[in-house]
Amino acid sequence: DPKKPRGVRKEAAWTLSNIGAGNQNQIQSLINAGLIPILVSTISAYEAEVKKEAVWACANIATNGSSQQISFLVECHVLDALCDVLTASVDVKILTVALEALLTILECGAEHMRLGHYQSNTYADHIRSFQGDMSIEPLMAHSNSEIRNLVQEIMVAYFDSDVLPVDTPQQNYNNFDNQQQNGNTNDFNNNNNNNNN
């Protein structure tokens, strides 16, 4: 309830996060009680502390829940909420946990596809449908290496994106772009080969 004091909402989300870190029976109890839609909506809370606990709770459910429970989480628009977090938050921990949750859910979607349940990763398809991948990819330029690694893993595995390798210095790519414009890509490759020798 947004009318409740911030401390109360934070503690409520923290409690749900702890339950979500439990077993699938405990997660099912949250579903049966109708708490998942409330939890997902709490991700959009203005206060960073409340938002963080809500993101943690959803990440725990995604990590510990069954495929059916993850599907229910998606039906409650958790993918939309997590992608919104990526553009609305500057907190490194919130961004990291949100990306980890997205990766876990996308991996579940990939498993559905491998098992022949669907012809494509429906969770990735849903993210594309509201251009959520456009909220993920810009974080490739984030100063935090863990965030950059997560973004690269998500974009390459699920969105056919050719993002820059995390461990490659940006300067090399700038040089490559400049030399491409001058039609001098062979010199660039030769320089790299010489540097490696």
Side-chain angles (χ1 to χ4, degrees), residues 92-93 96-97 99-100 143-152 166:
V92 169
K93 178 53 71 173
T96 302
V97 175
L99 287 166
E100 288 173 342
S143 60
N144 182 275
S145 62
E146 184 176 4
I147 289 174
R148 295 197 305 272
N149 282 328
L150 284 166
V151 171
Q152 178 174 331
V166 173

Side-chain angles (χ1 to χ4, degrees), residues 50-61:
V50 178
K51 184 190 300 287
K52 183 183 293 186
E53 295 299 338
V55 171
W56 265 112
C58 289
N60 284 340
I61 294 169

Side-chain angles (χ1 to χ4, degrees), residues 20-108:
N23 57 45
Q24 292 177 6
N25 287 334
Q26 291 171 308
I27 292 172
Q28 191 61 41
S29 70
L30 297 178
I31 294 174
N32 294 343
L35 294 173
I36 301 299
I38 298 172
L39 182 61
V40 171
S41 67
T42 305
I43 291 178
S44 62
Y46 176 75
E47 302 92 339
E49 293 178 350
V50 178
K51 184 190 300 287
K52 183 183 293 186
E53 295 299 338
V55 171
W56 265 112
C58 289
N60 284 340
I61 294 169
T63 300
N64 299 295
S66 66
S67 60
Q68 291 83 1
Q69 289 167 338
I70 292 173
S71 178
F72 183 77
L73 196 61
V74 172
E75 289 174 10
C76 293
H77 306 293
V78 74
L79 293 173
D80 312 59
L82 290 172
C83 287
D84 285 345
V85 164
L86 301 181
T87 58
S89 178
V90 296
D91 186 289
V92 169
K93 178 53 71 173
I94 292 178
L95 292 174
T96 302
V97 175
L99 287 166
E100 288 173 342
L102 285 168
L103 180 58
T104 300
I105 294 170
L106 287 165
E107 287 170 347
C108 181

Side-chain angles (χ1 to χ4, degrees), residues 2 5 8 13 18 20 23 28 30 33 71 74 76 102 104 119 126 141 152 154 167 170 172 175-176 178 183 187-188:
V8 172
N18 283 343
N23 57 45
Q28 191 61 41
L30 297 178
S71 178
V74 172
C76 293
L102 285 168
T104 300
Q119 293 184 341
H126 178 64
Q152 178 174 331
I154 290 170
D167 295 327
Q170 181 68 38
N172 284 352
N175 290 341
F176 178 70
N178 291 336
D187 289 343
F188 173 82

